[in-house]
């Protein structure tokens, strides 16, 4: 694993831990995770393998990321405080977030510390292109971040609309 890989993993973990204490929802707080995954996508996604069982691996990993992110988003408290919308991750949301990050981190560590041969054999036996593993892991992370961020943002916007009675087009989070 490179230093960049460590920084990305730790940033994603820190992101949810920073929300264990309530913080004001803002466009900036929603944009930061999107910026991180945008950079990750442009840095790591160069090809989309589609042969053999590649799509099953990539699709499965993406679905797991979507499920973990959506569940974490639903378990995150989004509530009004005065004229602001506050966000606080619950322990359940943090746990689900750590499951996703932990699985990806464990896989990267396994690959970097002697597991590459085992994954290579598994890939050959199951007709998986080696590059599909990177795509699967990255898309899992992107799906987890996007689904949680979108759900929390949508819930915050809906709460603000209900609280203020504004027309959605006039809402500013």
């Amino acid at each position: 694993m490179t230093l960049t890989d460590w920084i990305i993993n730790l940033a994603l973990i820190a992101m949810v831990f920073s929300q264990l204490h309530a913080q004001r929802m803002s466009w900036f707080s929603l944009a930061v995770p999107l910026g991180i995954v945008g950079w990750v996508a442009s840095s790591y996604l160069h090809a989309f393998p589609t042969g053999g069982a590649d799509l099953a691996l990539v699709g499965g990993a993406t679905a797991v990321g979507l499920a973990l992110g959506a569940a974490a988003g639903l378990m995150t408290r989004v509530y009004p405080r005065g004229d602001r919308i506050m966000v606080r991750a619950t322990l359940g949301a943090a746990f689900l977030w750590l499951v996703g990050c932990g699985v990806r981190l464990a896989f990267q560590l396994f690959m970097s510390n002697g597991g590459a041969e085992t994954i290579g054999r598994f890939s050959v036996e199951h007709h998986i292109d080696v590059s599909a593993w990177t795509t699967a892991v990255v898309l899992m992370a992107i799906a987890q971040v996007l689904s949680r961020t979108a759900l929390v943002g949508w819930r915050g916007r809906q709460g603000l609309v209900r609280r203020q009675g504004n027309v959605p087009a006039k809402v500013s989070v």
Side-chain angles (χ1 to χ4, degrees):
M1 279 182 53
T2 67
L3 179 61
T4 303
D5 295 333
W6 279 105
I7 291 170
I8 291 167
N9 282 303
L10 293 176
L12 289 175
I13 291 169
M15 187 173 70
V16 86
F17 277 113
S18 71
Q19 289 187 0
L20 284 173
H21 299 286
Q23 62 179 326
R24 180 180 177 265
M25 181 187 297
S26 67
W27 288 111
F28 181 77
S29 68
L30 296 173
V32 168
L34 299 178
I36 291 171
V37 296
W39 179 84
V40 167
S42 68
S43 298
Y44 289 91
L45 293 179
H46 303 295
F48 198 90
T50 58
D54 297 348
L55 286 178
L57 174 68
V58 171
T62 303
V64 168
L66 280 170
L68 287 170
L74 289 172
M75 293 177 126
T76 299
R77 287 199 58 225
V78 180
Y79 57 95
R81 181 185 290 162
D83 63 343
R84 297 178 175 170
I85 296 295
M86 304 301 288
V87 176
R88 185 179 68 77
T90 63
L91 290 178
F95 174 76
L96 291 175
W97 194 259
L98 285 177
V99 166
C101 291
V103 165
R104 290 188 301 272
L105 183 58
F107 179 78
Q108 289 172 313
L109 287 170
F110 178 69
M111 285 289 290
S112 299
N113 294 293
E117 185 178 319
T118 303
I119 296 298
R121 273 194 312 276
F122 179 89
S123 297
V124 169
E125 291 169 8
H126 294 87
H127 310 288
I128 298 171
D129 186 283
V130 172
S131 66
W133 291 99
T134 300
T135 303
V137 169
V138 170
L139 285 178
M140 179 186 174
I142 290 170
Q144 186 175 7
V145 171
L146 290 179
S147 60
R148 181 187 181 276
T149 303
L151 190 53
V152 168
W154 177 78
R155 289 176 61 215
R157 182 174 172 91
Q158 294 305 314
L160 191 58
V161 168
R162 280 192 305 274
R163 180 131 172 100
Q164 295 180 344
N166 290 341
V167 177
K170 296 181 181 178
V171 173
S172 174
V173 177

